[in-house]
PDB file of all heavy atoms in Angstrom:
ATOM      1  N   SER A 243     -17.121 -20.564  -7.452  1.00  0.00           N
ATOM      2  CA  SER A 243     -18.086 -21.611  -7.752  1.00  0.00           C
ATOM      3  C   SER A 243     -17.693 -22.468  -8.954  1.00  0.00           C
ATOM      4  O   SER A 243     -18.333 -23.489  -9.216  1.00  0.00           O
ATOM      5  CB  SER A 243     -19.474 -21.015  -7.980  1.00  0.00           C
ATOM      6  OG  SER A 243     -19.474 -20.138  -9.092  1.00  0.00           O
ATOM      7  N   SER A 244     -16.653 -22.086  -9.679  1.00  0.00           N
ATOM      8  CA  SER A 244     -16.170 -22.860 -10.819  1.00  0.00           C
ATOM      9  C   SER A 244     -15.237 -23.997 -10.404  1.00  0.00           C
ATOM     10  O   SER A 244     -14.868 -24.818 -11.237  1.00  0.00           O
ATOM     11  CB  SER A 244     -15.430 -21.959 -11.814  1.00  0.00           C
ATOM     12  OG  SER A 244     -16.294 -20.972 -12.343  1.00  0.00           O
ATOM     13  N   TYR A 245     -14.862 -24.043  -9.139  1.00  0.00           N
ATOM     14  CA  TYR A 245     -13.864 -24.992  -8.663  1.00  0.00           C
ATOM     15  C   TYR A 245     -14.448 -26.059  -7.748  1.00  0.00           C
ATOM     16  O   TYR A 245     -15.265 -25.765  -6.870  1.00  0.00           O
ATOM     17  CB  TYR A 245     -12.749 -24.262  -7.910  1.00  0.00           C
ATOM     18  CG  TYR A 245     -11.911 -23.364  -8.777  1.00  0.00           C
ATOM     19  CD1 TYR A 245     -12.291 -22.047  -9.010  1.00  0.00           C
ATOM     20  CD2 TYR A 245     -10.738 -23.837  -9.352  1.00  0.00           C
ATOM     21  CE1 TYR A 245     -11.520 -21.226  -9.822  1.00  0.00           C
ATOM     22  CE2 TYR A 245      -9.964 -23.017 -10.159  1.00  0.00           C
ATOM     23  CZ  TYR A 245     -10.366 -21.713 -10.387  1.00  0.00           C
ATOM     24  OH  TYR A 245      -9.592 -20.902 -11.187  1.00  0.00           O
ATOM     25  N   PHE A 246     -13.994 -27.295  -7.968  1.00  0.00           N
ATOM     26  CA  PHE A 246     -14.146 -28.312  -6.943  1.00  0.00           C
ATOM     27  C   PHE A 246     -13.195 -27.940  -5.809  1.00  0.00           C
ATOM     28  O   PHE A 246     -12.095 -27.442  -6.046  1.00  0.00           O
ATOM     29  CB  PHE A 246     -13.776 -29.692  -7.479  1.00  0.00           C
ATOM     30  CG  PHE A 246     -14.780 -30.270  -8.436  1.00  0.00           C
ATOM     31  CD1 PHE A 246     -14.783 -29.916  -9.772  1.00  0.00           C
ATOM     32  CD2 PHE A 246     -15.717 -31.185  -7.993  1.00  0.00           C
ATOM     33  CE1 PHE A 246     -15.700 -30.451 -10.652  1.00  0.00           C
ATOM     34  CE2 PHE A 246     -16.642 -31.738  -8.870  1.00  0.00           C
ATOM     35  CZ  PHE A 246     -16.635 -31.368 -10.200  1.00  0.00           C
ATOM     36  N   MET A 247     -13.605 -28.190  -4.587  1.00  0.00           N
ATOM     37  CA  MET A 247     -12.768 -27.887  -3.436  1.00  0.00           C
ATOM     38  C   MET A 247     -12.516 -29.158  -2.632  1.00  0.00           C
ATOM     39  O   MET A 247     -13.411 -29.985  -2.465  1.00  0.00           O
ATOM     40  CB  MET A 247     -13.430 -26.841  -2.547  1.00  0.00           C
ATOM     41  CG  MET A 247     -13.645 -25.492  -3.222  1.00  0.00           C
ATOM     42  SD  MET A 247     -12.079 -24.684  -3.703  1.00  0.00           S
ATOM     43  CE  MET A 247     -11.314 -24.440  -2.093  1.00  0.00           C
ATOM     44  N   GLY A 248     -11.296 -29.273  -2.144  1.00  0.00           N
ATOM     45  CA  GLY A 248     -10.940 -30.456  -1.384  1.00  0.00           C
ATOM     46  C   GLY A 248     -10.113 -30.137  -0.156  1.00  0.00           C
ATOM     47  O   GLY A 248      -9.536 -29.050  -0.038  1.00  0.00           O
ATOM     48  N   TRP A 249     -10.089 -31.086   0.758  1.00  0.00           N
ATOM     49  CA  TRP A 249      -9.229 -31.029   1.938  1.00  0.00           C
ATOM     50  C   TRP A 249      -8.293 -32.231   1.921  1.00  0.00           C
ATOM     51  O   TRP A 249      -8.728 -33.366   1.680  1.00  0.00           O
ATOM     52  CB  TRP A 249     -10.041 -31.040   3.232  1.00  0.00           C
ATOM     53  CG  TRP A 249     -10.754 -29.763   3.529  1.00  0.00           C
ATOM     54  CD1 TRP A 249     -12.049 -29.458   3.247  1.00  0.00           C
ATOM     55  CD2 TRP A 249     -10.206 -28.614   4.192  1.00  0.00           C
ATOM     56  NE1 TRP A 249     -12.346 -28.198   3.688  1.00  0.00           N
ATOM     57  CE2 TRP A 249     -11.241 -27.653   4.269  1.00  0.00           C
ATOM     58  CE3 TRP A 249      -8.959 -28.306   4.719  1.00  0.00           C
ATOM     59  CZ2 TRP A 249     -11.054 -26.402   4.858  1.00  0.00           C
ATOM     60  CZ3 TRP A 249      -8.772 -27.062   5.303  1.00  0.00           C
ATOM     61  CH2 TRP A 249      -9.808 -26.128   5.369  1.00  0.00           C
ATOM     62  N   PHE A 250      -7.024 -31.964   2.175  1.00  0.00           N
ATOM     63  CA  PHE A 250      -6.000 -32.992   2.289  1.00  0.00           C
ATOM     64  C   PHE A 250      -5.257 -32.787   3.598  1.00  0.00           C
ATOM     65  O   PHE A 250      -5.268 -31.696   4.166  1.00  0.00           O
ATOM     66  CB  PHE A 250      -5.017 -32.927   1.116  1.00  0.00           C
ATOM     67  CG  PHE A 250      -5.620 -33.273  -0.217  1.00  0.00           C
ATOM     68  CD1 PHE A 250      -6.397 -32.348  -0.901  1.00  0.00           C
ATOM     69  CD2 PHE A 250      -5.414 -34.519  -0.784  1.00  0.00           C
ATOM     70  CE1 PHE A 250      -6.957 -32.660  -2.133  1.00  0.00           C
ATOM     71  CE2 PHE A 250      -5.965 -34.843  -2.013  1.00  0.00           C
ATOM     72  CZ  PHE A 250      -6.738 -33.910  -2.687  1.00  0.00           C
ATOM     73  N   ARG A 251      -4.597 -33.824   4.067  1.00  0.00           N
ATOM     74  CA  ARG A 251      -3.806 -33.685   5.290  1.00  0.00           C
ATOM     75  C   ARG A 251      -2.488 -34.419   5.139  1.00  0.00           C
ATOM     76  O   ARG A 251      -2.363 -35.378   4.381  1.00  0.00           O
ATOM     77  CB  ARG A 251      -4.570 -34.207   6.508  1.00  0.00           C
ATOM     78  CG  ARG A 251      -4.843 -35.702   6.510  1.00  0.00           C
ATOM     79  CD  ARG A 251      -5.773 -36.063   7.658  1.00  0.00           C
ATOM     80  NE  ARG A 251      -6.009 -37.495   7.735  1.00  0.00           N
ATOM     81  CZ  ARG A 251      -6.884 -38.065   8.549  1.00  0.00           C
ATOM     82  NH1 ARG A 251      -7.613 -37.314   9.378  1.00  0.00           N
ATOM     83  NH2 ARG A 251      -7.038 -39.384   8.554  1.00  0.00           N
ATOM     84  N   GLN A 252      -1.501 -33.948   5.892  1.00  0.00           N
ATOM     85  CA  GLN A 252      -0.183 -34.555   5.852  1.00  0.00           C
ATOM     86  C   GLN A 252       0.435 -34.533   7.245  1.00  0.00           C
ATOM     87  O   GLN A 252       0.599 -33.473   7.837  1.00  0.00           O
ATOM     88  CB  GLN A 252       0.730 -33.831   4.866  1.00  0.00           C
ATOM     89  CG  GLN A 252       2.055 -34.528   4.635  1.00  0.00           C
ATOM     90  CD  GLN A 252       2.792 -33.979   3.425  1.00  0.00           C
ATOM     91  OE1 GLN A 252       2.611 -32.830   3.046  1.00  0.00           O
ATOM     92  NE2 GLN A 252       3.616 -34.816   2.823  1.00  0.00           N
ATOM     93  N   ALA A 253       0.754 -35.715   7.739  1.00  0.00           N
ATOM     94  CA  ALA A 253       1.442 -35.861   9.005  1.00  0.00           C
ATOM     95  C   ALA A 253       2.930 -36.028   8.739  1.00  0.00           C
ATOM     96  O   ALA A 253       3.328 -36.467   7.653  1.00  0.00           O
ATOM     97  CB  ALA A 253       0.897 -37.064   9.767  1.00  0.00           C
ATOM     98  N   PRO A 254       3.788 -35.694   9.713  1.00  0.00           N
ATOM     99  CA  PRO A 254       5.237 -35.842   9.516  1.00  0.00           C
ATOM    100  C   PRO A 254       5.619 -37.256   9.098  1.00  0.00           C
ATOM    101  O   PRO A 254       5.189 -38.237   9.710  1.00  0.00           O
ATOM    102  CB  PRO A 254       5.813 -35.499  10.892  1.00  0.00           C
ATOM    103  CG  PRO A 254       4.802 -34.579  11.491  1.00  0.00           C
ATOM    104  CD  PRO A 254       3.474 -35.112  11.021  1.00  0.00           C
ATOM    105  N   GLY A 255       6.415 -37.357   8.040  1.00  0.00           N
ATOM    106  CA  GLY A 255       6.876 -38.646   7.563  1.00  0.00           C
ATOM    107  C   GLY A 255       5.864 -39.431   6.759  1.00  0.00           C
ATOM    108  O   GLY A 255       6.141 -40.571   6.379  1.00  0.00           O
ATOM    109  N   LYS A 256       4.705 -38.847   6.482  1.00  0.00           N
ATOM    110  CA  LYS A 256       3.675 -39.547   5.739  1.00  0.00           C
ATOM    111  C   LYS A 256       3.326 -38.812   4.450  1.00  0.00           C
ATOM    112  O   LYS A 256       3.597 -37.626   4.305  1.00  0.00           O
ATOM    113  CB  LYS A 256       2.415 -39.721   6.589  1.00  0.00           C
ATOM    114  CG  LYS A 256       2.585 -40.628   7.794  1.00  0.00           C
ATOM    115  CD  LYS A 256       1.271 -40.843   8.507  1.00  0.00           C
ATOM    116  CE  LYS A 256       1.415 -41.806   9.665  1.00  0.00           C
ATOM    117  NZ  LYS A 256       0.117 -42.040  10.351  1.00  0.00           N
ATOM    118  N   GLU A 257       2.723 -39.545   3.528  1.00  0.00           N
ATOM    119  CA  GLU A 257       2.268 -38.955   2.277  1.00  0.00           C
ATOM    120  C   GLU A 257       1.052 -38.074   2.524  1.00  0.00           C
ATOM    121  O   GLU A 257       0.284 -38.289   3.459  1.00  0.00           O
ATOM    122  CB  GLU A 257       1.908 -40.052   1.278  1.00  0.00           C
ATOM    123  CG  GLU A 257       3.051 -40.950   0.861  1.00  0.00           C
ATOM    124  CD  GLU A 257       3.964 -40.290  -0.141  1.00  0.00           C
ATOM    125  OE1 GLU A 257       3.503 -39.385  -0.870  1.00  0.00           O
ATOM    126  OE2 GLU A 257       5.139 -40.663  -0.198  1.00  0.00           O
ATOM    127  N   ARG A 258       0.900 -37.081   1.673  1.00  0.00           N
ATOM    128  CA  ARG A 258      -0.308 -36.270   1.724  1.00  0.00           C
ATOM    129  C   ARG A 258      -1.496 -37.135   1.309  1.00  0.00           C
ATOM    130  O   ARG A 258      -1.459 -37.829   0.290  1.00  0.00           O
ATOM    131  CB  ARG A 258      -0.169 -35.067   0.791  1.00  0.00           C
ATOM    132  CG  ARG A 258      -1.360 -34.131   0.807  1.00  0.00           C
ATOM    133  CD  ARG A 258      -1.040 -32.825   0.098  1.00  0.00           C
ATOM    134  NE  ARG A 258       0.011 -32.089   0.785  1.00  0.00           N
ATOM    135  CZ  ARG A 258       0.422 -30.876   0.443  1.00  0.00           C
ATOM    136  NH1 ARG A 258      -0.138 -30.258  -0.586  1.00  0.00           N
ATOM    137  NH2 ARG A 258       1.397 -30.283   1.117  1.00  0.00           N
ATOM    138  N   GLU A 259      -2.557 -37.105   2.102  1.00  0.00           N
ATOM    139  CA  GLU A 259      -3.690 -37.965   1.833  1.00  0.00           C
ATOM    140  C   GLU A 259      -4.988 -37.182   1.697  1.00  0.00           C
ATOM    141  O   GLU A 259      -5.190 -36.145   2.330  1.00  0.00           O
ATOM    142  CB  GLU A 259      -3.839 -39.035   2.926  1.00  0.00           C
ATOM    143  CG  GLU A 259      -4.195 -38.505   4.295  1.00  0.00           C
ATOM    144  CD  GLU A 259      -4.484 -39.608   5.302  1.00  0.00           C
ATOM    145  OE1 GLU A 259      -4.641 -40.778   4.890  1.00  0.00           O
ATOM    146  OE2 GLU A 259      -4.560 -39.301   6.509  1.00  0.00           O
ATOM    147  N   PHE A 260      -5.856 -37.716   0.871  1.00  0.00           N
ATOM    148  CA  PHE A 260      -7.160 -37.136   0.638  1.00  0.00           C
ATOM    149  C   PHE A 260      -8.035 -37.268   1.869  1.00  0.00           C
ATOM    150  O   PHE A 260      -8.046 -38.302   2.531  1.00  0.00           O
ATOM    151  CB  PHE A 260      -7.812 -37.850  -0.551  1.00  0.00           C
ATOM    152  CG  PHE A 260      -9.254 -37.506  -0.765  1.00  0.00           C
ATOM    153  CD1 PHE A 260      -9.622 -36.301  -1.336  1.00  0.00           C
ATOM    154  CD2 PHE A 260     -10.253 -38.397  -0.405  1.00  0.00           C
ATOM    155  CE1 PHE A 260     -10.953 -35.987  -1.541  1.00  0.00           C
ATOM    156  CE2 PHE A 260     -11.583 -38.094  -0.611  1.00  0.00           C
ATOM    157  CZ  PHE A 260     -11.931 -36.888  -1.177  1.00  0.00           C
ATOM    158  N   VAL A 261      -8.789 -36.218   2.172  1.00  0.00           N
ATOM    159  CA  VAL A 261      -9.710 -36.230   3.298  1.00  0.00           C
ATOM    160  C   VAL A 261     -11.155 -36.114   2.829  1.00  0.00           C
ATOM    161  O   VAL A 261     -11.991 -36.960   3.136  1.00  0.00           O
ATOM    162  CB  VAL A 261      -9.403 -35.103   4.299  1.00  0.00           C
ATOM    163  CG1 VAL A 261     -10.438 -35.079   5.417  1.00  0.00           C
ATOM    164  CG2 VAL A 261      -8.000 -35.272   4.868  1.00  0.00           C
ATOM    165  N   ALA A 262     -11.444 -35.062   2.074  1.00  0.00           N
ATOM    166  CA  ALA A 262     -12.807 -34.818   1.626  1.00  0.00           C
ATOM    167  C   ALA A 262     -12.802 -33.843   0.459  1.00  0.00           C
ATOM    168  O   ALA A 262     -11.863 -33.071   0.286  1.00  0.00           O
ATOM    169  CB  ALA A 262     -13.668 -34.259   2.762  1.00  0.00           C
ATOM    170  N   ALA A 263     -13.865 -33.871  -0.338  1.00  0.00           N
ATOM    171  CA  ALA A 263     -14.000 -32.939  -1.447  1.00  0.00           C
ATOM    172  C   ALA A 263     -15.471 -32.674  -1.707  1.00  0.00           C
ATOM    173  O   ALA A 263     -16.338 -33.456  -1.314  1.00  0.00           O
ATOM    174  CB  ALA A 263     -13.321 -33.479  -2.708  1.00  0.00           C
ATOM    175  N   ILE A 264     -15.731 -31.566  -2.408  1.00  0.00           N
ATOM    176  CA  ILE A 264     -17.095 -31.150  -2.664  1.00  0.00           C
ATOM    177  C   ILE A 264     -17.207 -30.582  -4.068  1.00  0.00           C
ATOM    178  O   ILE A 264     -16.279 -29.942  -4.572  1.00  0.00           O
ATOM    179  CB  ILE A 264     -17.553 -30.124  -1.594  1.00  0.00           C
ATOM    180  CG1 ILE A 264     -19.049 -29.845  -1.691  1.00  0.00           C
ATOM    181  CG2 ILE A 264     -16.729 -28.834  -1.694  1.00  0.00           C
ATOM    182  CD1 ILE A 264     -19.586 -29.106  -0.466  1.00  0.00           C
ATOM    183  N   SER A 265     -18.334 -30.822  -4.706  1.00  0.00           N
ATOM    184  CA  SER A 265     -18.556 -30.363  -6.066  1.00  0.00           C
ATOM    185  C   SER A 265     -18.768 -28.856  -6.114  1.00  0.00           C
ATOM    186  O   SER A 265     -18.875 -28.188  -5.090  1.00  0.00           O
ATOM    187  CB  SER A 265     -19.758 -31.080  -6.677  1.00  0.00           C
ATOM    188  OG  SER A 265     -20.948 -30.776  -5.967  1.00  0.00           O
ATOM    189  N   ARG A 266     -18.832 -28.334  -7.326  1.00  0.00           N
ATOM    190  CA  ARG A 266     -18.929 -26.889  -7.509  1.00  0.00           C
ATOM    191  C   ARG A 266     -20.161 -26.267  -6.864  1.00  0.00           C
ATOM    192  O   ARG A 266     -20.082 -25.202  -6.245  1.00  0.00           O
ATOM    193  CB  ARG A 266     -18.881 -26.558  -9.003  1.00  0.00           C
ATOM    194  CG  ARG A 266     -17.500 -26.759  -9.631  1.00  0.00           C
ATOM    195  CD  ARG A 266     -17.559 -26.787 -11.139  1.00  0.00           C
ATOM    196  NE  ARG A 266     -18.205 -27.991 -11.638  1.00  0.00           N
ATOM    197  CZ  ARG A 266     -17.900 -28.581 -12.778  1.00  0.00           C
ATOM    198  NH1 ARG A 266     -16.940 -28.069 -13.563  1.00  0.00           N
ATOM    199  NH2 ARG A 266     -18.554 -29.667 -13.158  1.00  0.00           N
ATOM    200  N   SER A 267     -21.279 -26.939  -6.984  1.00  0.00           N
ATOM    201  CA  SER A 267     -22.519 -26.438  -6.409  1.00  0.00           C
ATOM    202  C   SER A 267     -22.701 -26.843  -4.949  1.00  0.00           C
ATOM    203  O   SER A 267     -23.571 -26.300  -4.262  1.00  0.00           O
ATOM    204  CB  SER A 267     -23.709 -26.939  -7.213  1.00  0.00           C
ATOM    205  OG  SER A 267     -23.854 -28.339  -7.086  1.00  0.00           O
ATOM    206  N   GLY A 268     -21.900 -27.789  -4.496  1.00  0.00           N
ATOM    207  CA  GLY A 268     -22.051 -28.314  -3.157  1.00  0.00           C
ATOM    208  C   GLY A 268     -23.029 -29.466  -3.054  1.00  0.00           C
ATOM    209  O   GLY A 268     -23.309 -29.941  -1.951  1.00  0.00           O
ATOM    210  N   SER A 269     -23.533 -29.932  -4.189  1.00  0.00           N
ATOM    211  CA  SER A 269     -24.538 -30.977  -4.178  1.00  0.00           C
ATOM    212  C   SER A 269     -23.966 -32.373  -3.960  1.00  0.00           C
ATOM    213  O   SER A 269     -24.697 -33.283  -3.563  1.00  0.00           O
ATOM    214  CB  SER A 269     -25.339 -30.952  -5.478  1.00  0.00           C
ATOM    215  OG  SER A 269     -24.504 -31.179  -6.600  1.00  0.00           O
TER     216      SER A 269
END
């Protein structure tokens, strides 16, 4: 619960890109 959590994605030949993130409490 002390960490922000995020999702990233990377397709072949492309930069890693941000998808979504959520705060510590989920709010």
